[in-house]
Each structure stands twice: as C-alpha cells, then as structure tokens.
Amino acid sequence: MKNQVFMLVFTLLVFQPLIFAQSKGMVSIKGSRYIPLYGRDSTVVEVNNFEIDIYPVTNADYVNFVKKYPRWQKSKVIKLFADASYLSNWKSDLELKDSEKPDSPVTYISWFAAKDYCECQGKRLPTVDEWEYVAMSDETTKDARNKASYNQQILAWYEAPRSNENKIGQHQKNVWGVHDLHGLVWEWTLDFNSVLITGESRKDVDKDSNLFCGSAALNATDLMNYAAFMRYAIRGSLKAKYSMKNLGFRCVKDSDVK
C-alpha cells in the first residue's frame, strides 16, 4: 500500500508540470519538417514546437482588449497603424453593431493591431509556415493535402458568402484540436508579406513572386496548390494597415518543450 501511495505521489510530481504545460485556450503543436505549397520549387521547411489558439480571436475578446488598451479603440487608433475600415463594423469604441455577434471572429483588424493584441497576451502572430503547417490537417490526418475531401471543403469556403459572420467552433476541429483555420476568415500571419521578398530565406531558386505567374499555376503538381495560391495571393496583396471584413487572426507562442 505504501509503495502504491509513493508511486502515485511520484507520478504526480513528475507529470504535473507536463499536464499543466499547455496554455489555456491553446493546443501544443509538435513541429516537424514539411514541404509547403509555394509553387514549382517548394523546399523543405522545419517548424519548431509551438502552441496555437484553438479558436480565432472573437469580437468579445477584442472588446475586452480595447477596454484595457484604449489606444486601439477606433476613435483613438493612430492612422499610421490602421486604415479607415478599422473596426468599421463597430457602433462605437466599445460597442459592436447590432448585426455583429460577440462569438464571431473579430475582423476589420490591421496587422499592427493583431500583432499588438497577441503581444499583450504574451503571445505572437504565427508565421506563415506555422499557420500552413497546422492548417494542412483535417480531422484525422496531419497532412491531408492529397485528400479530395480536404481540398473540396476549402474551395467551397472560398465561394461561400459572409462566412465571417458565423460563430467560431462550428467546424470540426482538426487532428491537432484546432478549429476554424478554414471556413470562417482569412488570418493574419507575422510575416504575411514574405511572399513578396526574395526566396533566399527558404533557399528557393526562383523568387516567391513566381507564385503569381500563370506558369507557376500551370506547372503545379496538383490542383491542391490552388488553395495555397489563393492564400498567398491574398497575403501578397495586403499592407500592414489594411483591415478587411473577412480577415481576422489568432495567436501562437513558442513552446517550452523542445
């Protein structure tokens, strides 16, 4: 009996830090090497372990944020950091329009605002590679990009009107336990404009700008690239002060587990 008690106490002492290592509202992602869909000349990218928000940031979350940090209220925001559309679906500094739901993803948010929101939570925006790595999963498979059902769902969403008005959590979580990476809104990434920079950082032979050439699309090895082309095209068209009705965000943080 004493041995059993000792083993129970020992187990709790050893594993309790691991049980509570994952941050509230986030899931842990085990990094690995993968090939992102950049076009013809994809190269292997290594993603380190990290944690990611289970859901995108909601209207209610952002209301609480601007209450605590008034500099991001729509009447006070510095115009250098947000365009005229910033929080245009809000009635006032602290109140949503009647048509907006508290548990819908917050939109009309600039990159500057999203970045500061995450940093104020002790987090950061995900990199493109981190976002794509998690988003290539479906409900059962970590890399579902070759599955017709996965690609059909994404492409169907691209054609769906007003998906940004839906509530979070209505789509099945993926194999990591993350909801709504597809199906609600596009999401800001930390390096969203990296597709306009030369491919040196990823050791590509061509520039990333080739992604937007017709030849790149025609030479893609599979039509699953089309969904990736759409995401990179959207990111490449953005500026950090832009805010759009179908563009939101979620946060990540580096993992303590190596």
Side-chain angles (χ1 to χ4, degrees):
M1 182 65 179
K2 288 183 178 180
N3 287 340
Q4 290 177 328
V5 172
F6 173 79
M7 288 302 298
L8 177 60
V9 172
F10 177 79
T11 301
L12 288 173
L13 288 174
V14 171
F15 291 104
Q16 188 180 39
L18 298 178
I19 294 170
F20 294 100
Q22 186 172 290
S23 305
K24 183 179 179 181
M26 307 185 81
V27 292
S28 297
I29 305 298
K30 182 174 176 56
S32 184
R33 292 162 63 86
Y34 87 113
I35 299 177
L37 298 175
Y38 296 138
R40 290 176 301 170
D41 298 305
S42 297
T43 188
V44 174
V45 168
E46 179 143 9
V47 174
N48 295 323
N49 297 340
F50 66 101
E51 296 179 46
I52 188 170
D53 287 347
I54 296 172
Y55 302 104
V57 175
T58 65
N59 284 319
D61 294 330
Y62 205 77
V63 169
N64 291 331
F65 173 68
V66 297
K67 286 179 179 177
K68 188 173 182 180
Y69 300 97
R71 64 180 178 271
W72 290 109
Q73 293 174 10
K74 62 185 298 185
S75 69
K76 298 182 177 71
V77 67
I78 298 174
K79 301 309 178 186
L80 182 65
F81 299 142
D83 64 13
S85 296
Y86 177 74
L87 297 183
S88 59
N89 57 336
W90 289 38
K91 187 183 298 184
S92 64
D93 281 346
L94 301 176
E95 190 177 5
L96 302 168
K97 288 183 178 178
D98 295 338
S99 59
E100 303 302 308
K101 304 181 186 73
D103 49 1
S104 290
V106 67
T107 56
Y108 292 104
I109 299 295
S110 70
W111 177 85
F112 291 110
K115 180 175 181 289
D116 198 46
Y117 176 99
C118 292
E119 290 175 354
C120 287
Q121 320 300 316
K123 305 177 186 180
R124 59 177 172 80
L125 285 172
T127 64
V128 169
D129 287 322
E130 288 169 337
W131 195 98
E132 291 288 331
Y133 178 74
V134 181
M136 69 184 185
S137 302
D138 66 3
E139 294 88 344
T140 59
T141 311
K142 288 184 178 179
D143 188 353
R145 293 174 297 178
N146 282 311
K147 296 171 71 171
S149 58
Y150 168 84
N151 293 292
Q152 287 167 357
Q153 288 176 2
I154 295 176
L155 296 176
W157 164 48
Y158 290 169
E159 298 179 350
R162 302 169 64 178
S163 61
N164 59 294
E165 298 177 6
N166 296 330
K167 298 178 181 180
I168 64 168
Q170 302 298 302
H171 297 88
Q172 180 67 33
K173 63 184 178 182
N174 70 13
V175 72
W176 296 106
V178 182
H179 288 266
D180 302 323
L181 286 165
H182 306 290
L184 280 184
V185 292
W186 306 98
E187 295 186 6
W188 280 112
T189 58
L190 187 64
D191 51 345
F192 70 93
N193 55 359
S194 63
V195 291
L196 300 181
I197 302 172
T198 62
E200 182 179 358
S201 63
R202 296 193 177 97
K203 312 299 182 187
D204 290 339
V205 175
D206 295 337
K207 294 181 185 295
D208 285 334
S209 57
N210 283 343
L211 177 65
F212 307 109
C213 297
S215 60
L218 290 173
N219 284 290
T221 57
D222 195 294
L223 288 178
M224 68 179 177
N225 272 314
Y226 182 72
F229 287 142
M230 289 290 289
R231 290 195 295 276
Y232 286 98
I234 287 290
R235 291 172 184 142
S237 69
L238 296 172
K239 293 185 178 179
K241 67 182 293 184
Y242 284 5
S243 51
M244 300 162 48
K245 72 175 183 178
N246 57 353
L247 180 61
F249 70 101
R250 75 180 71 213
C251 309
V252 304
K253 64 188 300 186
D254 296 328
S255 175
D256 295 330
V257 180
K258 302 300 182 182

